[in-house]
Amino acid sequence: VVFKALKDLNVERIMGDFYPRPQRMLGMREGGRWFPTVPGKATPKFKVLAGIEGLTDLTDTEKTNLRAKRGNTYELVTAGTAFFWEGTVFSTSYNFLDVTRNADWSVDNLSKILLEIFVGNDIVPFTPLGITMMEQGMTQFGGLAEDQGVFAAGWVVEVPVFEDIELVDKTDRNLRSLKISGVTQGAIHKAVPVDIVLSF
C-alpha cells in the first residue's frame, strides 16, 4: 500500500526497500554502501552489503509485483552471492536514484560555474561578449558532466541571439533561454537474452 501511494505521488528521491527483517536496516546499509560513491560513476544496483542475508523465499509473482511498484530488495541470486535490486525510485521521470542524483549534481555544478563567472568579473556585460562568457561557462560544465559520466558525448549548448532578446529582459538584466541538452550516460542493468552459438 505504501509503495503504491508513493508511486502514485511520483516521488523522485525515495527508494522503497522491502526486507522482512527491519532490524537488518536494508536501506541504511544500501545508503552507506552507495552514497559515498561519486555521482555519474555508480548505480545502486548490484551492491553487495555486509551483515545482511539475501532473500531466498520471494516468489516470482512477489518479485514482479515488487518491481511493478518500483520497490527494491536484497536477494540471493546465485549460490553465496546476494546483491541489491534495483535502485529504482517511485518517480518514472528519471526511474533510478542514480539518475536523480546525477540531475541534482548537474544543477549544483552548473550553478556554481555560472556564479563564478559573475563573481570573477567586475561585470558581465549584456552584450554579445557577455552572452559568450555565459556560453563558455556552460560549455565548461558540459565537458565536466561528460568526464563525470553524467552526460554521454554529444551534448549541446544553446544561447540566445543578442538581437532577439526582449527589451524587458535587458532592463531586468536577465539572460533567458540558456540551455544545455545532454543524454544521460545511464547504466546497463540487463543483458537479456544472450545468444550462445556452439559450433564444431
Side-chain angles (χ1 to χ4, degrees), residues 8-99:
D8 291 345
L9 291 171
N10 209 33
V11 177
E12 294 179 345
R13 289 176 174 77
I14 296 177
M15 284 195 308
D17 300 335
F18 170 77
Y19 196 79
R21 295 180 285 284
Q23 68 274 19
R24 292 283 196 259
M25 298 183 289
L26 172 60
M28 297 296 286
R29 291 176 191 275
E30 172 64 12
R33 169 65 181 84
W34 181 69
F35 280 120
T37 63
V38 177
K41 303 293 186 185
T43 173
K45 190 173 181 180
F46 304 116
K47 298 298 172 278
V48 176
L49 308 177
I52 188 170
E53 309 82 25
L55 297 179
T56 58
D57 53 357
L58 288 176
T59 68
D60 289 342
T61 299
E62 288 171 332
K63 292 177 186 179
T64 298
N65 291 338
L66 183 64
R67 312 259 196 269
K69 293 175 183 168
R70 309 199 58 74
N72 304 276
T73 192
Y74 193 69
E75 297 175 38
L76 188 68
V77 180
T78 60
T81 303
F83 56 77
F84 187 80
W85 292 67
E86 288 276 333
T88 50
V89 292
F90 293 105
S91 169
T92 56
S93 296
Y94 292 137
N95 293 319
F96 295 92
L97 188 61
D98 57 297
V99 181

Side-chain angles (χ1 to χ4, degrees), residues 39-41 102 105-107 109-110 113 137-153 155 180-185:
K41 303 293 186 185
N102 293 348
W105 177 91
S106 297
V107 170
N109 281 273
L110 179 56
I113 288 172
M138 295 183 68
T139 300
Q140 177 188 344
F141 166 75
L144 177 65
E146 184 176 341
D147 291 343
Q148 186 76 15
V150 172
F151 281 1
W155 46 271
I180 184 164
S181 305
V183 175
T184 180
Q185 178 177 276

Side-chain angles (χ1 to χ4, degrees), residues 105-121:
W105 177 91
S106 297
V107 170
D108 181 56
N109 281 273
L110 179 56
S111 298
K112 288 174 180 174
I113 288 172
L114 296 182
L115 181 60
E116 285 174 4
I117 293 171
F118 290 125
V119 173
N121 293 277

Side-chain angles (χ1 to χ4, degrees), residues 179-195:
K179 182 178 179 181
I180 184 164
S181 305
V183 175
T184 180
Q185 178 177 276
I188 298 172
H189 278 186
K190 299 177 191 173
V192 179
V194 176
D195 291 333

